Amino acid sequence: MEASPKPRLAVNTEPVEQALYEIRRKIYPRAVTGKFAVSRWFFVWATQLVFYGVPWLSWNGRQAVLFDLVHRKFYILGLVFWPQDIVYLTVLLLISAFSLFLFTAVAGRLWCGYACPQTVYTEIFMWIEKVIEGDRLRRMKLDKGGLSARKVGLKAAKHGAWIALALWTGFTFVGYFTPIRMLGAEVFAFALGPWETFWILFYGFATYGNAGWMREQVCKYMCPYARFQSVMFDRDTLIITYDNERGEPRGSRAKSADYKAKGLGDCVDCGICVQVCPTGIDIRNGLQYECIGCAACIDGCNQVMDKVGYPRGLIRYSSENALKEHLTPAGMVRRILRPRVLLYTGILWAIILAASVTLYHRVPVKVDVIRDRVASAQDADEIENVYRLQIMNTSEVSRRFAISVSGLPGLEIEGNMNAVELGAAASRMIPVRIEVPRANARKGANPIVFTIRTVGDDEPILITEKASFVVQ
Ligand code: SF4
Ligand code: SF4
């Protein structure tokens, strides 16, 4: 007898297109109160008072902090930095980098959670959203509902407020590079230049887009710091963690029930920690790169613990080792002082000290000597070289300078170089002709030294610059 054919499963052989990117699920973070929310708002106020306020401060009759790119001078309170001071920018970058390493090694993503502009502006934009559209459930209902005059009105109000704040942010940003009062006058007179217009709109658009629309997407997909921060973590780094041992097995229960007798842990599985999370993750699944360390889940869970009468801290700042070894808070603090942290602290303080000392002893005069090759001339008895001395007065008082030169017998400067005037925070190119008797200079490059001395100061500043006197 012929065997009947085996039944075959129907298989769809059509090619199926797979999405390369996860489709974004809109997150409606629930508002939360607690000590970490207070800390976050403290940083929002502190950073924004500085950002929006500093350009309006004056110092010596000019803007206190101004990065004047056109004239290549950076004013920071009483200091004026020139392109030659680039080393201070390098130092500033080094201090920022080591601070980031140090804070991250000690307590994870502190920067992301409290002070990063993306977090700060998202917090402000979410607050505006909550004021206009209401808390989480109202917002979800509004978005699900059909088009109505109320919905259009609320959305228009929200976006209007966001755009106004974003443009003000763009205006303030440009106010660090163009005197902000002048910029304000130009805005009111519709006389903004093309670059100023571009940067105000660009920065405003970036703020509106990142804090209003992109939000957690910036942290998850665009920020490189989220990707490499884990290399700065170790088993003693404080991170926001869910106490698995205490919380599991999770489950709902009546408030009066003896949940321990039922074999349940402290997590009532209410989902509040997920609802308050601005990146929409569940911290109970362990440390995830999406977690920005904002601590909203700690506040949320503490509120729940208070309500059900359990001890706070089911979600808390802890470390891998602290959880494993059941360390007390004092034990955790002792672990902070470990070699990596001490190394970062030592380097950071060394850089800060060196920079402070250098800044304190910074000479407010700079000199560059450029030999004018074309004007090298000679006659029978005398040889002449022409130089250009660029003198920069980096202080905010005008000064007089005397220029002299030495290094060869019989060296002479042509003209009166004993009272060269230079205005405050100004630079001047001074042509200097030097003659020397032919017999006193050998063929080739003869080393000479320019001395530039301030005149009329109680403690004169003296600067020497080496140069070459060339005989062809
Ligand atoms: S898991 Fe907690 S700390 Fe991390 S982003 Fe979400 S709410 Fe913030
Ligand atoms: S908020 Fe606390 S109790 Fe509620 S689900 Fe999260 S961890 Fe569990």
Side-chain angles (χ1 to χ4, degrees):
M1 203 173 88
E2 218 175 278
S4 58
K6 272 188 182 175
R8 300 185 68 182
L9 287 174
V11 176
N12 185 2
T13 51
E14 288 295 308
V16 178
E17 195 176 324
Q18 283 191 327
L20 284 176
Y21 302 100
E22 187 189 1
I23 294 169
R24 187 186 178 196
R25 181 175 47 89
K26 189 171 176 186
I27 295 168
Y28 296 86
R30 181 186 176 125
V32 68
T33 52
K35 68 177 179 188
F36 294 105
V38 170
S39 309
R40 271 198 316 282
W41 275 101
F42 169 81
F43 279 99
V44 168
W45 278 102
T47 51
Q48 298 318 293
L49 276 176
V50 170
F51 176 72
Y52 292 112
V54 162
W56 297 97
L57 299 179
S58 297
W59 189 284
N60 278 347
R62 49 132 177 111
Q63 194 166 311
V65 176
L66 180 67
F67 306 120
D68 187 348
L69 294 177
V70 176
H71 300 102
R72 296 194 290 170
K73 282 181 227 166
F74 287 4
Y75 299 91
I76 300 175
L77 305 178
L79 299 169
V80 185
F81 293 94
W82 294 63
Q84 285 80 356
D85 292 313
I86 189 87
V87 66
Y88 291 106
L89 180 64
T90 316
V91 168
L92 188 67
L93 292 177
L94 278 175
I95 291 175
S96 310
F98 275 98
S99 304
L100 200 61
F101 296 162
L102 175 63
F103 295 136
T104 308
V106 172
R109 294 176 71 174
L110 279 184
W111 162 258
C112 302
Y114 296 91
C116 169
Q118 178 62 22
T119 307
V120 166
Y121 284 106
T122 303
E123 191 87 37
I124 300 173
F125 273 54
M126 284 195 319
W127 176 80
I128 293 174
E129 190 171 58
K130 182 175 156 253
V131 168
I132 295 174
E133 292 185 356
D135 200 2
R136 184 170 189 266
L137 289 176
R138 280 172 175 268
R139 293 202 303 273
M140 289 166 81
K141 203 169 150 199
L142 185 74
D143 282 0
K144 269 202 193 121
L147 203 61
S148 67
R150 180 177 168 274
K151 185 170 178 174
V152 172
L154 287 176
K155 294 283 175 196
K158 179 179 85 173
H159 287 282
W162 280 359
I163 290 170
L165 177 63
L167 286 176
W168 184 250
T169 308
F171 171 79
T172 305
F173 173 74
V174 176
Y176 278 90
F177 301 91
T178 301
I180 200 161
R181 288 181 172 81
M182 195 177 92
L183 193 68
E186 284 176 3
V187 170
F188 282 112
F190 295 102
L192 272 182
W195 281 110
E196 290 156 345
T197 310
F198 169 78
W199 281 110
I200 290 176
L201 293 179
F202 179 80
Y203 201 84
F205 177 74
T207 308
Y208 171 70
N210 289 344
W213 293 91
M214 304 283 288
R215 296 192 176 172
E216 81 289 347
Q217 305 281 301
V218 175
C219 309
K220 278 164 84 168
Y221 303 118
M222 290 161 71
C223 176
Y225 177 52
R227 306 282 159 168
F228 73 77
Q229 56 157 337
S230 56
V231 297
M232 289 177 250
F233 282 27
D234 58 33
R235 287 169 173 272
D236 288 307
T237 297
L238 290 179
I239 44 174
I240 291 163
T241 43
Y242 165 72
D243 189 338
N244 226 48
E245 214 174 282
R246 186 184 141 190
E248 299 298 318
R250 66 187 81 162
S252 56
R253 76 284 315 261
K255 197 177 171 185
S256 54
D258 181 359
Y259 67 98
K260 290 209 166 128
K262 287 182 165 184
L264 289 173
D266 278 4
C267 175
V268 298
D269 206 13
C270 60
I272 296 288
C273 51
V274 183
Q275 290 174 19
V276 298
C277 179
T279 64
I281 59 167
D282 188 342
I283 192 67
R284 294 172 298 173
N285 296 337
L287 181 65
Q288 294 145 75
Y289 81 91
E290 294 98 329
C291 173
I292 58 167
C294 68
C297 52
I298 301 186
D299 281 335
C301 188
N302 280 345
Q303 283 178 347
V304 177
M305 294 293 109
D306 289 350
K307 264 193 203 139
V308 293
Y310 301 167
R312 288 177 160 212
L314 177 57
I315 301 177
R316 61 180 184 273
Y317 273 102
S318 188
S319 67
E320 226 180 306
N321 277 342
L323 283 178
K324 206 166 90 194
E325 299 169 29
H326 301 105
L327 293 179
T328 60
M332 266 184 341
V333 170
R334 271 197 297 279
R335 293 277 178 98
I336 288 176
L337 297 176
R338 53 195 189 278
R340 172 197 287 243
V341 172
L342 293 176
L343 180 73
Y344 288 153
T345 312
I347 295 175
L348 189 58
W349 275 111
I351 297 172
I352 291 173
L353 276 176
S356 309
V357 171
T358 321
L359 212 51
Y360 182 76
H361 292 290
R362 183 169 170 257
V363 179
V365 178
K366 295 184 189 299
V367 178
D368 275 347
V369 178
I370 306 150
R371 204 176 66 83
D372 198 333
R373 291 177 204 177
V374 185
S376 182
Q378 57 190 61
D379 61 25
D381 302 319
E382 303 277 335
I383 299 175
E384 179 189 275
N385 272 201
V386 180
Y387 302 82
R388 278 177 294 146
L389 264 62
Q390 188 186 19
I391 305 184
M392 290 157 272
N393 176 13
T394 64
S395 67
E396 295 204 73
V397 286
S398 36
R399 285 201 149 95
R400 275 184 303 145
F401 297 91
I403 302 168
S404 57
V405 66
S406 59
L408 286 173
L411 265 183
E412 268 183 29
I413 292 188
E414 223 178 68
N416 182 7
M417 290 285 158
N418 288 325
V420 176
E421 293 277 351
L422 199 48
S427 155
R428 201 173 144 189
M429 194 68 92
I430 300 154
V432 178
R433 282 174 187 277
I434 297 179
E435 284 182 351
V436 73
R438 170 174 283 281
N440 295 350
R442 61 180 163 76
K443 212 167 168 77
N446 297 264
I448 57 169
V449 176
F450 283 97
T451 304
I452 298 94
R453 184 172 44 84
T454 56
V455 180
D457 285 352
D458 292 341
E459 287 181 31
I461 300 166
L462 202 85
I463 294 178
T464 53
E465 274 293 313
K466 288 181 186 161
S468 293
F469 188 94
V470 177
V471 179
Q472 289 168 334

